[in-house]
Amino acid sequence: MRAIAKLHGKLTGLKTHQTRALERLYRRRVPPHQLIHLELGREIALLSHEISRQLALLVDRQGGVRHVIVGEAKGIEIPELGRARAGTARLRGLRCIHTHLDASSLSQEDLTDMALLRLDVMAAIEVADEGAAGRVHVAHLLPRPLPEEGDGGADVPNGAGRTPPWEIRTFPSLEWLRLDVAHLVDSLEEEFARTQDSPAAQRKGERALLIHVDTGSKRSRPAQAELDELEVLLDGAGLIPCGRVVQRRKEVDPRFVIGRGRLADILMRSMQVGAEALVFSQELHPAQVRSLAEFTDLKILDRTQIILDIFAQRATSRTGKLQVELAQLRYMLPRLSAQHTAMSRLTGGIGGRGPGETKLEIHRRRAFERIRRLERELENLQRKRSQGRTLRQRRAVPVLSLVGYTNAGKSTLLNALTESQVLVADQLFATLDTSSRRLRLPRDQEVIITDTVGFIHDLPKELVGAFRSTLDELNDADLLLHVVDASSPNCEENLEAVERLLGELGLERTPTLRVFNKMDRADPVLLGNFCRRYGGIAVSGLDARSLIPLIEEAGEQLWEQREPEAPALEGTAI
C-alpha cells in the first residue's frame, strides 16, 4: 500500500514547487537489498541544498518510502513511529537516510535516535557545493555480548570507558556505496536472537532489566542492596530479572531519569537480553514514565508498582483486597494522563451544554468515585474490628504485636509460639492480613499476639495510607516484638528502617522488645554484638527451646506494666 504523501517536520517557508518535489519522493522505490539507489540519493542531496535544510527518508524493507521529514540546518526530528515490531530481538524494519549540509559524520543525536527507535540502519549523505552528494556514513547496531554485573561501564559515570553498541562505516561517495542492507539486517536479528538463547532465557515469564540511579545521597542505600532487594521483589511479582544497570549522577534526570544517552545503551542491553520491561528502583513521576515509554517502546515500571502488584497477588481477605485496590487507585490517579492519550469529547454535541467531558476526565471521575466507595467500606469493616478490640480492652487482655521487616520470620515465630498454622513462605510480603492468636505466658498471663504486614525501606505512601486501619491496631499494643532477620547482610539497615516507620506511625513510645530471629543462620559473634548493642534476644523460629527466654522477657515486661505502683508513704513526726 502506497504511503500517504504527508510531509513531516519544518515546512514553514517552503515554496510550492519545493513542497511538490518533496511529496513526489513518496512515489520512489528503493531495491530492498540497497541502502538507497544513486538517482534518489542525488535527488535528496540537491533538494536539501535548495531548501538549506536537512532532509530525511524513512524506507521500509520492501523499499517503500514511509516518511519524508524536513529538518533544520543542523538536525531533524523524527515523528512518532508507533509501537515497534513484535519481538525483543527484532529491529523496527525502517532505515533512515538523511542529509548533512556540512562535511560531518553521524552525530551523537543520530546514533542515539537509531538505538532508541531500533532502526535497521542510520545513514547520512554529505551535501557538497552546488548540491552534489559527497561521502556516505552508515551505522547499525551491534549485538555485543553482555558484560558481567558491575563491568562494562555499569558503574561508570557519564558512560566513560564503555564500548559504543554500534558500528559506523564511511563510503567515499554514492557510487562507491556497496552494502547489502537486507543481508545485514537479517544477520543482526539472528545474532540478537542468539545472544538471548541462553539457559536463563528459557524461563517462562516477562523479562525485566533492573535500573538504579545512585546520586550519592547520604540517606540512600548502597546500589547493591537496592538492586538485591528489587530482584527479590521482581521474583515475587512473577517477573524474571535479566540484568542490572547502575548509573552514578549528581541528580536524577527530570525527563529520562538516567539521561538520554545512557538510555540508548540500556535499550541495547534490553535487546541483548530480551528484556520486555525496565524496572527502576526509585519511584517515577508520571511525566518520566510517559517519556521513557515513548522512547523505548518497553513497559516502564518502578519499585512502587512492583510492590503494589505483589500485594494484589497476596491479598486474600476482603479487607486486604479492598486496601490493595485503594492503594492501586491512589497510585494510578496522577498517572492517568500518561496512560490515556485519547482526549476526544464524548458527552457534548447537539442538545448538550459545553464541549462535554474528555476520556481523561471520565476516568478520573470514576477513579474518585471508586476511591470514596472503598474508603466507606473499609470504615465499616474497621468499625466491626474495633468492637473486638473494645472487648479485649474491657477484659484487660494484654496485646503483643509482631512487627518487622518483610520476610524477617514473624509468621514463623507466631506459629512456633502459639502452635498455629499461619501461612509461612520464604518471600517478601507473604502475610498481608492481620492474624491474632491467644498465648499464655508465665504467671498465668493470657495475652493476644498479632502478626501484621511486613515493612520495607521507603514503604510506598499509597500503601501506608490504604493500610492505615490495619496499622492503627498497633496503637493498642502493650508491647511490640520487633522481629529482625539476624542472618541478613542488611540487618542493621532493616532494623533502623522499621523503627523509622514506627516513629512515623507515632509508636516510638510504645515499649519494644527486639527479637533477633534466624540465629541458626547468623554469625554468632555478630549476633552477640547485635543483642548487646540493641538489648535484644536471639531466637530461632524453628527451635522451640530458643523461645523460652523470649517468653520470659515478654512476660516480665508485661507484668511490670500491669503491676500497680505502691503508694508513697507519708512522713511521720517523731
Side-chain angles (χ1 to χ4, degrees):
M1 182 178 179
R2 195 175 73 177
I4 299 175
K6 177 184 177 182
L7 302 179
H8 302 271
K10 308 296 183 179
L11 307 179
T12 305
L14 294 180
K15 298 179 181 179
T16 303
H17 74 277
Q18 294 171 340
T19 301
R20 290 176 179 173
L22 292 171
E23 290 175 345
R24 282 196 295 270
L25 293 175
Y26 277 101
R27 304 176 186 175
R28 308 301 295 270
R29 296 195 64 83
V30 179
H33 64 280
Q34 291 185 12
L35 176 68
I36 189 171
H37 58 70
L38 180 62
E39 182 183 352
L40 181 57
R42 289 174 174 174
E43 183 178 355
I44 64 173
L46 185 60
L47 280 171
S48 181
H49 175 74
E50 182 180 346
I51 65 177
S52 299
R53 305 177 195 181
Q54 289 191 12
L55 184 61
L57 303 180
L58 293 183
V59 182
D60 60 27
R61 293 186 184 177
Q62 289 72 43
V65 177
R66 297 279 297 275
H67 294 82
V68 177
I69 309 167
V70 180
E72 298 175 335
K74 294 296 185 180
I76 61 170
E77 183 175 345
I78 298 178
E80 175 62 39
L81 300 179
R83 303 295 294 179
R85 301 163 73 231
T88 55
R90 303 184 68 184
L91 300 171
R92 186 175 288 271
L94 294 174
R95 55 183 179 269
C96 178
I97 305 104
H98 68 293
T99 59
H100 280 186
L101 297 178
D102 51 1
S104 61
S105 181
L106 290 164
S107 66
Q108 184 64 37
E109 190 80 11
D110 294 333
L111 299 170
T112 301
D113 284 341
M114 175 183 65
L116 291 176
L117 298 174
R118 292 164 61 180
L119 297 175
D120 293 356
V121 167
M122 174 67 77
I125 301 174
E126 294 182 6
V127 179
D129 295 337
E130 305 300 328
R135 294 185 301 172
V136 183
H137 307 276
V138 183
H140 62 81
L141 300 175
L142 284 178
R144 298 185 186 278
L146 277 178
E148 296 295 326
E149 179 184 335
D151 263 353
D155 294 326
V156 180
N158 303 323
R162 293 198 307 271
T163 304
W166 46 65
E167 179 180 330
I168 303 176
R169 307 182 196 179
T170 300
F171 300 89
S173 65
L174 287 169
E175 291 84 352
W176 286 89
L177 181 59
R178 301 289 186 270
L179 181 65
D180 190 335
V181 175
H183 176 71
L184 171 65
V185 172
D186 289 342
S187 301
L188 289 175
E189 291 190 338
E190 287 178 6
E191 187 65 17
F192 275 120
R194 188 188 65 79
T195 58
Q196 296 179 20
D197 188 17
S198 62
Q202 304 306 316
R203 291 176 57 188
K204 298 297 182 182
E206 197 170 29
R207 298 169 61 78
L209 193 63
L210 285 65
I211 302 173
H212 174 71
V213 178
D214 185 2
T215 58
S217 172
K218 294 181 179 179
R219 295 188 58 183
S220 61
R221 291 194 297 167
Q224 184 72 19
E226 286 281 1
L227 290 173
D228 286 344
E229 185 174 86
L230 184 59
E231 187 168 323
V232 177
L233 287 170
L234 258 64
D235 282 328
L239 298 174
I240 302 174
C242 60
R244 298 180 174 190
V245 176
V246 179
Q247 187 187 31
R248 294 194 179 101
R249 294 176 61 95
K250 292 183 179 179
E251 57 184 12
V252 173
D253 186 86
R255 186 178 182 189
F256 296 112
V257 184
I258 53 176
R260 197 169 187 269
R262 192 71 168 112
L263 186 59
D265 294 348
I266 288 176
L267 183 61
M268 287 301 306
R269 295 194 67 175
S270 69
M271 294 178 65
Q272 292 166 349
V273 300
E276 301 165 279
L278 302 180
V279 182
F280 290 79
S281 60
Q282 55 264 79
E283 185 170 331
L284 302 179
H285 300 303
Q288 291 172 332
V289 175
R290 182 168 56 251
S291 297
L292 289 166
E294 288 175 352
F295 273 86
T296 65
D297 279 333
L298 296 174
K299 182 181 293 185
I300 306 299
L301 304 170
D302 60 16
R303 179 174 177 269
T304 299
Q305 192 168 353
I306 297 297
I307 294 175
L308 289 174
D309 288 343
I310 294 175
F311 271 56
Q313 295 175 23
R314 307 274 166 80
T316 55
S317 69
R318 177 62 178 165
T319 302
K321 291 179 179 179
L322 291 176
Q323 289 171 327
V324 171
E325 186 181 355
L326 180 59
Q328 288 178 321
L329 284 172
R330 287 175 174 169
Y331 173 82
M332 183 185 66
L333 195 58
R335 292 163 174 81
L336 284 176
S337 59
Q339 297 175 0
H340 302 284
T341 57
M343 298 292 289
S344 59
R345 300 284 176 172
L346 297 181
T347 58
I350 298 175
R353 299 182 61 185
E357 291 182 295
T358 64
K359 286 185 178 180
L360 177 59
E361 290 167 346
I362 290 176
H363 286 133
R364 282 178 173 167
R365 176 168 52 80
R366 289 176 177 172
F368 277 121
E369 291 173 354
R370 181 61 179 165
I371 287 174
R372 285 194 291 269
R373 285 198 299 270
L374 290 173
E375 288 174 341
R376 286 195 298 267
E377 191 166 353
L378 282 172
E379 287 176 2
N380 294 333
L381 291 173
Q382 176 65 13
R383 198 174 299 114
K384 295 178 181 178
R385 296 174 68 94
S386 65
Q387 295 175 358
R389 294 203 302 270
T390 303
L391 183 60
R392 291 199 300 266
Q393 292 171 357
R394 288 177 182 175
R395 294 179 178 177
V397 180
V399 177
L400 299 179
S401 289
L402 294 169
V403 298
Y405 208 78
T406 179
N407 207 29
K410 299 186 298 299
S411 298
T412 302
L413 199 58
L414 177 68
N415 288 340
L417 290 170
T418 62
E419 298 182 357
S420 303
Q421 298 296 324
V422 174
L423 174 65
V424 172
D426 186 14
Q427 58 187 15
L428 302 186
F429 303 115
T431 302
L432 296 185
D433 303 312
T434 301
S435 301
S436 299
R437 299 291 186 271
R438 288 183 177 272
L439 174 65
R440 187 167 293 279
L441 299 178
R443 303 185 185 183
D444 289 333
Q445 283 181 296
E446 186 178 51
V447 301
I448 299 295
I449 183 169
T450 62
D451 182 17
T452 58
V453 63
F455 293 159
I456 197 170
H457 277 276
D458 300 322
L459 190 67
K461 57 182 180 298
E462 291 85 6
L463 282 175
V464 175
F467 280 75
R468 176 66 63 179
S469 59
T470 298
L471 297 175
D472 281 346
E473 294 193 7
L474 297 176
N475 293 320
D476 299 326
D478 297 279
L479 179 64
L480 297 178
L481 299 182
H482 180 181
V483 183
V484 185
D485 182 359
S487 66
S488 171
N490 305 311
C491 176
E492 289 186 275
E493 296 175 7
N494 295 346
L495 184 150
E496 293 171 359
V498 171
E499 296 199 344
R500 187 163 53 248
L501 285 169
L502 292 175
E504 294 174 2
L505 295 172
L507 299 170
E508 64 275 2
R509 296 185 179 180
T510 303
T512 303
L513 175 60
R514 299 180 182 90
V515 183
F516 290 92
N517 193 24
K518 306 182 183 181
M519 60 180 293
D520 51 318
R521 302 182 185 176
D523 180 87
V525 177
L526 291 177
L527 182 60
N529 292 336
F530 287 149
C531 292
R532 286 190 295 271
R533 186 184 311 167
Y534 295 102
I537 297 176
V539 302
S540 172
L542 302 178
D543 184 4
R545 292 174 298 177
S546 69
L547 303 180
I548 296 176
L550 170 62
I551 295 174
E552 292 177 348
E553 180 62 25
E556 190 66 28
Q557 291 198 22
L558 288 176
W559 183 262
E560 291 176 359
Q561 293 182 34
R562 298 291 178 176
E563 187 176 10
E565 297 182 0
L569 297 177
E570 296 182 0
T572 55
I574 301 179

